[in-house]
Amino acid sequence: KVKKSLVTFAHMSHVSKAAMTCIAAQLDTNKIEGLAESFESLDTDHDGKLSAAELAAGLAEMGAEPDSIGQLLISVDMDGDGAIQYSEFVASLLQVQGKLVDDIIYHAFHIFDINGDGSISLDELRAILSGSGPLAAVLPDGKTVEQALSEMDLSCDGAVSFHEFKEYLLRQGNICEGLQDATQAVAGDSLEEVFRNLAVALGRPEAELAVQAKRLAEVHWLNTVDDLRKLCDSDWPRLGLPLKLERVLRNQIGT
């Protein structure tokens, strides 16, 4: 889960990373299951941050490709200090915490909406992403502020509403539309883990998806991704999955 989260975060836009980093700095991380334990397991010298060597060692144990680890560090290291701070680690994991997604997006939107008028203007976006805002050390991803706003502004009215902001972040964090094959489930992954990881993409609670995974195990004796990949197309309707879940799941496991 940590490896997939880091890879997904690395390929998110600069605006999405900024939103996640803003909220991570003030989020009660005790609400995020296993987050502190995951960080501490990687932070072997217990200095409160992850060095390149610690990240490399931890991700190598999780099966990450050695050639990709350096780029992951650069992408997650939002302040460019050569290490991953706890808040940066939190930010990289937020998009898979489905139970927190509404709170995350709500608070992030109001950080960007500086004057509190219910929308994000070009000037507000520029202030957040430039030297006059809290992310002065963050390097851009090559896009201009105008381009970033245009990607969010679906109504083309020159400002970003909460609905547009939410839709943008959900698109960015959508697991089934990840940019790298590394975000896809592998054969031995348990279905419960895979289903829980789809919570954000589906906008449903993790617990509800875990129930679906448990039903597949009990009724159809399907426990892993490999079990699903062995099914014929004609078998899928017999599983009785919600249509949206079936579509996203099949995309995620590559069938």
Side-chain angles (χ1 to χ4, degrees), residues 9 17 71-85 88 137-139:
F9 184 81
K17 291 178 182 178
Q71 186 58 46
L72 284 176
L73 175 64
I74 294 172
S75 298
V76 178
D77 179 19
M78 294 291 285
D79 62 9
D81 67 352
I84 298 178
Q85 307 297 326
E88 293 169 335
V138 178
L139 298 176

Side-chain angles (χ1 to χ4, degrees), residues 84-100:
I84 298 178
Q85 307 297 326
Y86 186 59
S87 62
E88 293 169 335
F89 184 76
V90 173
S92 71
L93 297 185
L94 290 182
Q95 76 274 9
V96 297
Q97 299 294 329
K99 61 191 175 188
L100 292 176

Side-chain angles (χ1 to χ4, degrees), residues 200-233:
V200 172
L202 294 166
R204 310 297 297 186
E206 285 190 22
E208 181 180 348
L209 292 170
V211 169
Q212 291 282 355
K214 184 177 180 180
R215 184 180 62 81
L216 291 185
E218 293 177 347
V219 177
H220 300 287
W221 303 350
L222 301 171
N223 298 287
T224 67
V225 168
D226 194 47
D227 289 338
L228 288 182
R229 286 177 176 165
K230 292 176 180 178
L231 297 178
C232 301
D233 285 343

Side-chain angles (χ1 to χ4, degrees), residues 109 118-121 148-165 167-168 171:
F109 178 80
S119 64
I120 301 170
S121 67
L149 184 135
S150 178
E151 289 180 355
M152 293 186 283
D153 181 18
L154 300 178
S155 63
C156 301
D157 62 356
V160 178
S161 66
F162 173 72
H163 173 73
E164 290 171 329
F165 187 74
E167 288 297 311
Y168 178 77
R171 289 198 309 271

